[in-house]
Amino acid sequence: MPDVRGCHLPDDLLYDVENHIWIRELDDGNIKLGMTTIATAMAGQLVAFTPKKVGRKVKPGKSCGTVESGKWVGPAKSLAGGEVVEVNTELVSKPSTANDDPYEAGWMVIIQPDDWDSVKGSLLPGADVAAAYEAKMDADGFDGCA
């Protein structure tokens, strides 16, 4: 598992470094999305998560939900467009779950992607993500996960 400045990035995931989102391919062809440890460390303790509702469409590169912390409110963007087929209701009721366990219990939504093959090529696999995250953290002036 790559560890970049104290931030863990599991090998078995794909990463949208620019938006600090991880993606897990599911056996049924759907994809599960969540925030990386870097995203949660930068945002601070999450206080709200408002996902798109099940059945709603997400346009490529647009929000699949809104995340709010004490110092930041913004979109959680999905590079993949498609239909939201499941939302993490536990995360809605306890947003700090994303801070405590971002890669398992803290997932945000599951999407049935429209054109996954074209999007997948733009994502970085966990084994190759360290250098890109080092550069992103430098550009953002982020020292790392404490």
Side-chain angles (χ1 to χ4, degrees):
M1 173 185 317
D3 188 90
V4 180
R5 300 183 191 179
C7 304
H8 303 296
L9 301 160
D11 286 338
D12 64 333
L13 302 174
L14 296 168
Y15 294 90
D16 170 5
V17 174
E18 185 62 32
N19 292 305
H20 300 294
I21 297 291
W22 59 261
I23 297 99
R24 176 175 286 129
E25 294 179 282
L26 303 177
D27 292 339
D28 61 5
N30 292 331
I31 55 172
K32 184 182 280 190
L33 286 79
M35 297 172 63
T36 65
T37 53
I38 296 161
T40 60
M42 289 175 74
Q45 194 73 11
L46 299 186
V47 296
F49 171 61
T50 308
K52 287 225 176 190
K53 292 181 174 26
V54 170
R56 297 288 306 268
K57 285 290 216 175
V58 175
K59 292 181 181 177
K62 298 298 182 183
S63 174
C64 63
T66 302
V67 179
E68 181 177 348
S69 71
K71 61 183 177 179
W72 182 80
V73 176
K77 294 182 179 178
S78 172
L79 287 183
E83 181 181 334
V84 175
V85 295
E86 189 174 341
V87 301
N88 186 347
T89 55
E90 282 189 39
L91 187 61
V92 173
S93 62
K94 188 179 175 202
S96 63
T97 301
N99 297 94
D100 300 332
D101 188 9
Y103 300 113
E104 294 299 331
W107 62 275
M108 297 183 300
V109 297
I110 296 177
I111 294 175
Q112 183 178 49
D114 291 333
D115 191 11
W116 178 237
D117 289 338
S118 69
V119 174
K120 184 177 176 178
S122 65
L123 301 169
L124 286 173
D128 301 333
V129 78
Y133 252 120
E134 279 284 353
K136 176 75 171 145
M137 292 164 95
D138 281 342
D140 291 348
F142 181 63
D143 292 332
C145 301

